[in-house]
Amino acid sequence: MRTINFTVLPPPKVLRRDIECFRIASHTGSEALDVKVCPNGLPGIVFQLSTDGSTAIDSITTRSAQVSNIPKLFLHGQGSEPSVMHFRNKPYTTIQVVFKSHALYTLFGMDASSLNQGFLIPDQFGAKELEKQLIATRINAERITMVGEFLITKLEQTDKRDELIEQALGFIRLHISTVKVKDLLSAFHISERQFQKRFARVVGMPPQLYIRVKRVNEALRMMNTVQYERFSDIAYALNYYDQSHFIRDIKAFSWVTPISISSKVREFQSDEPGHRIYSNYDGFIQFYITLSDYNGFVKT
């Protein structure tokens, strides 16, 4: 068994509208790890560094591509493909800032659809100096403070917010089992053309695709509760047309069939901030999650 220690921290008060959490993962072993990731509609920032000063991630594989030469600090889009992160066989630390779905727009003022499955290097989002600072210190509390201050500055400089789309995201979250785009158009009194355009700009993908991604994440969460004996029960609870439709979506966003997921659901990252399950192909990895008081970590 291998162990990765997690610390999950809430964002400072000024960032809580745009940030889900900060997550620190420390791996002290020397085994190479493969981390399966289910897309969850949440962009973010990742800092990753091995104890010898090299990068921790060797490459990232999706169905459409494999990317190597991963930067130590990068800003990633929300993505819609499942991926596998291949970690090197050495101890490392990663710090992940989990954004809310709209945060690329509010924090950086960018059209989120321009990033999607890709990522930006520090020079491309004004973080070159931040990267130097993060590498220079080995104290994670200081790193969290640095990242928090960087994002607060970005928020103050950008001053962009689409209230309607943020409300629509909340509506989707509350009604994930039944929501359709037509419900959003009716609830927010907006034309489909305008809604599609604004949603893609703020969130980075069409609302139909976003709903599918979030519904699959909800399905994985429901599987993980072990409260449902059959996939048909989950499909029914989430208002899929039928079980085959449910299976197609699960396969589309998680690499495998629901039968495989039922026996190894804990191998997959879910949509719950702070609840990320890492796995290698030869079995499970024991993990621990610590919800910590972050006073002194980041200015509030």
Side-chain angles (χ1 to χ4, degrees), residues 146-162:
M146 293 170 183
V147 175
E149 291 176 344
F150 169 79
L151 292 173
I152 290 170
T153 299
K154 287 294 182 184
L155 179 64
E156 293 171 345
Q157 293 174 342
T158 301
D159 192 29
K160 279 192 174 183
R161 196 169 290 280
D162 191 321

Side-chain angles (χ1 to χ4, degrees), residues 160-177:
K160 279 192 174 183
R161 196 169 290 280
D162 191 321
E163 299 282 355
L164 183 145
I165 297 303
E166 290 187 40
Q167 291 173 26
L169 290 168
F171 188 96
I172 291 170
R173 183 175 61 254
L174 290 174
H175 304 281
I176 189 57
S177 64

Side-chain angles (χ1 to χ4, degrees), residues 4-8 23 273-277 287-291:
I4 298 179
N5 293 314
F6 287 88
T7 302
V8 181
R23 183 187 302 109
H275 187 69
R276 288 297 189 263
I277 313 303
F287 72 100
Y288 301 93
I289 295 177
T290 304
L291 292 171

Side-chain angles (χ1 to χ4, degrees), residues 54-75:
S54 63
T55 58
I57 303 172
D58 179 64
S59 62
I60 300 175
T61 303
T62 66
R63 288 196 177 105
S64 59
Q66 179 165 330
V67 181
S68 54
N69 300 317
I70 309 299
K72 294 175 182 176
L73 179 69
F74 60 91
L75 174 69

Side-chain angles (χ1 to χ4, degrees), residues 93-118:
T93 296
T94 66
I95 295 176
Q96 182 182 9
V97 187
V98 183
F99 289 179
K100 295 192 175 181
S101 300
H102 60 267
L104 289 176
Y105 184 75
T106 55
L107 294 176
F108 297 94
M110 69 169 62
D111 182 338
S113 64
S114 67
L115 192 52
N116 202 313
Q117 193 78 28

Side-chain angles (χ1 to χ4, degrees), residues 23-264:
R23 183 187 302 109
I24 304 170
S26 298
H27 174 57
T28 56
S30 58
E31 306 88 354
L33 300 175
D34 293 325
V35 179
K36 297 177 182 177
V37 183
C38 175
N40 58 13
L42 304 177
I45 288 176
V46 174
F47 173 71
Q48 44 103 17
L49 191 68
S50 296
T51 53
D52 63 5
S54 63
T55 58
I57 303 172
D58 179 64
S59 62
I60 300 175
T61 303
T62 66
R63 288 196 177 105
S64 59
Q66 179 165 330
V67 181
S68 54
N69 300 317
I70 309 299
K72 294 175 182 176
L73 179 69
F74 60 91
L75 174 69
H76 66 86
Q78 56 293 98
S80 57
E81 288 188 81
S83 61
V84 180
M85 302 174 70
H86 306 282
F87 282 81
R88 302 182 192 277
N89 57 343
K90 56 184 68 177
Y92 61 80
T93 296
T94 66
I95 295 176
Q96 182 182 9
V97 187
V98 183
F99 289 179
K100 295 192 175 181
S101 300
H102 60 267
L104 289 176
Y105 184 75
T106 55
L107 294 176
F108 297 94
M110 69 169 62
D111 182 338
S113 64
S114 67
L115 192 52
N116 202 313
Q117 193 78 28
F119 62 80
L120 300 180
I121 62 176
D123 283 346
Q124 295 173 310
F125 64 103
K128 189 63 179 176
E129 186 59 33
L130 174 64
E131 181 184 43
K132 292 178 181 178
Q133 294 172 349
L134 294 174
I135 293 172
T137 182
R138 297 288 176 173
I139 302 172
N140 286 329
E142 294 181 4
R143 287 170 169 165
I144 294 294
T145 298
M146 293 170 183
V147 175
E149 291 176 344
F150 169 79
L151 292 173
I152 290 170
T153 299
K154 287 294 182 184
L155 179 64
E156 293 171 345
Q157 293 174 342
T158 301
D159 192 29
K160 279 192 174 183
R161 196 169 290 280
D162 191 321
E163 299 282 355
L164 183 145
I165 297 303
E166 290 187 40
Q167 291 173 26
L169 290 168
F171 188 96
I172 291 170
R173 183 175 61 254
L174 290 174
H175 304 281
I176 189 57
S177 64
T178 59
V179 66
K180 294 180 175 61
V181 173
K182 65 179 183 180
D183 301 324
L184 297 165
L185 303 179
S186 175
F188 296 101
H189 310 289
I190 186 173
S191 71
E192 183 169 6
R193 181 179 178 182
Q194 282 298 313
F195 182 72
Q196 294 275 0
K197 181 179 178 180
R198 288 169 64 174
F199 194 96
R201 180 179 62 207
V202 174
V203 179
M205 62 176 68
Q208 299 93 327
L209 178 58
Y210 180 82
I211 290 169
R212 287 179 66 203
V213 168
K214 300 304 281 187
R215 192 164 287 161
V216 165
N217 273 263
E218 177 63 11
L220 293 176
R221 186 197 68 79
M222 293 167 72
M223 291 178 195
N224 206 27
T225 64
V226 198
Q227 295 178 354
Y228 297 84
E229 296 182 0
R230 298 182 300 272
F231 292 119
S232 58
D233 295 337
I234 297 176
Y236 179 79
L238 292 175
N239 282 279
Y240 280 92
Y241 295 121
D242 51 40
Q243 187 167 323
S244 63
H245 182 203
F246 171 63
I247 290 173
R248 283 197 301 272
D249 270 10
I250 292 292
K251 290 173 66 177
F253 298 116
S254 63
W255 291 106
V256 296
T257 66
I259 293 174
S260 299
I261 293 176
S262 66
S263 61
K264 295 186 177 182

